[in-house]
């Protein structure tokens, strides 16, 4: 009889419910298909027994973090803006990791994972919609745009579909590829994505994803977004690509309907909004993080893009959190 792999889910208020079920359901199916209880799971909270998800559905935790749970993995699920309700939580997480439990996180759970000091320089997968906020809060912590990162020290998944892939990898390692494939087919999930697969990102101004863009345009975007705090001039991007600025502009117009300057400004504003939503950074720091030396110019472009100032946007978000008691949004 195989030993049981026990997975703990540390759920915080406002955690994305889909990320939880995207791990538990394939593990449950693997147990049924193999006719063995090879996977077990426990819902864990910081303290109280009831935790409300981002969808407003209330979950009853089986244990608290202070309880002595026999675990192989402990996965954190939360929105990025969550703060520990108990000052002892980071120390408890570090102690659990020292005792051989593999820590991990799904979606926004990577934020409290790093805040606790548990990540331990392991590769981290960060969802693209949180990347700018993550880089702002943790400038010295490397992360990737891969859907999942699996390391003996830590496992991370960028979102709900990626969490399903993480579960398939656990099933594959425990029961073999045939059962992992059957589980995927049960749920009509695409075949298990291998490690190293990059996240799919929407392409602003188009109906498709970044993977649908012409290679030249995609490469230009990659060059520009390497460091939004130091925007690369269009002439330098064109030179790096071996084309003229006019050729670059025509290529962008055909692919996105926008010129490069407008397209890149939109990317900067989307990154700025992440930092506004998921951090308490001063607006001058937010502006600098996306390459603006003038807060006034930054605020003007922000209002033109989103219809309100960054201060108004943060106030609106914080009001929602107070009234709904939920961090927003999470994926």
């Amino acid at each position: 009889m195989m030993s049981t792999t026990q997975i703990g889910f540390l759920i915080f208020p406002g955690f994305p419910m889909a990320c939880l079920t995207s791990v538990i359901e394939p593990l449950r199916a693997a147990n049924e298909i193999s006719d063995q209880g090879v996977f077990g799971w426990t819902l864990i909270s910081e303290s109280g027994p009831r935790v409300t998800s981002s969808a407003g559905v209330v979950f009853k935790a089986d244990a608290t973090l202070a309880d002595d749970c026999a675990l192989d993995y402990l996965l954190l699920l939360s929105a990025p803006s969550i703060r520990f309700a108990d000052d002892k939580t980071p120390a408890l997480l570090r102690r659990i990791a020292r005792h051989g439990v593999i820590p991990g996180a799904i979606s926004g759970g990577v934020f409290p994972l790093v805040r606790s000091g548990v990540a331990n320089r392991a590769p981290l997968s960060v969802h693209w919609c949180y990347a700018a906020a993550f880089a702002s809060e943790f400038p010295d912590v490397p992360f990737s745009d891969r859907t999942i990162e699996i390391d003996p020290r830590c496992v991370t998944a960028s979102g709900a579909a990626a969490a399903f892939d993480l579960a398939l990898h656990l099933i594959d390692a425990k029961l073999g590829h045939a059962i992992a494939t059957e589980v995927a087919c049960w749920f009509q999930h695409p075949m298990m994505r291998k490690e190293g697969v990059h996240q799919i990102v929407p392409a602003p101004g188009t109906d498709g994803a970044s993977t649908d863009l012409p290679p030249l345009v995609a490469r230009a975007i990659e060059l520009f977004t390497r460091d939004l705090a130091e925007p690369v001039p269009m002439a330098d991007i064109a030179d790096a690509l071996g084309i003229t600025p006019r050729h670059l502009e025509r290529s962008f117009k055909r692919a996105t309907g926008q010129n490069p300057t407008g397209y890149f400004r939109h990317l900067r504003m989307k990154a700025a909004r992440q930092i506004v939503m998921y951090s308490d950074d001063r607006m001058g720091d937010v502006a600098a993080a996306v390459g603006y030396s003038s807060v006034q110019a930054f605020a003007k472009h922000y209002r033109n893009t989103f219809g309100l100032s960054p201060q108004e946007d943060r106030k609106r978000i914080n009001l929602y959190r107070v009234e709904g008691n939920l961090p927003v949004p999470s994926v």
Side-chain angles (χ1 to χ4, degrees), residues 41-91:
W41 45 87
T42 303
L43 298 187
I44 300 171
S45 69
E46 273 195 274
S47 52
R50 293 164 60 86
V51 182
T52 303
S53 71
S54 59
V57 178
V58 178
F59 286 76
K60 183 179 182 297
D62 305 301
T64 67
L65 196 59
D67 293 334
D68 187 16
C69 299
L71 302 173
D72 296 292
Y73 294 87
L74 178 62
L75 305 181
L76 279 61
L77 283 79
S78 77
S81 52
I82 199 72
R83 297 293 170 177
F84 298 119
D86 189 333
D87 292 339
K88 298 177 183 176
T89 296

Side-chain angles (χ1 to χ4, degrees), residues 207-231:
D207 296 329
S210 58
T211 50
D212 301 324
L213 292 172
L216 187 146
V217 174
R219 178 64 177 148
I221 293 170
E222 180 187 346
L223 291 171
F224 182 81
T225 55
R226 280 181 180 174
D227 185 2
L228 291 177
E230 298 288 341

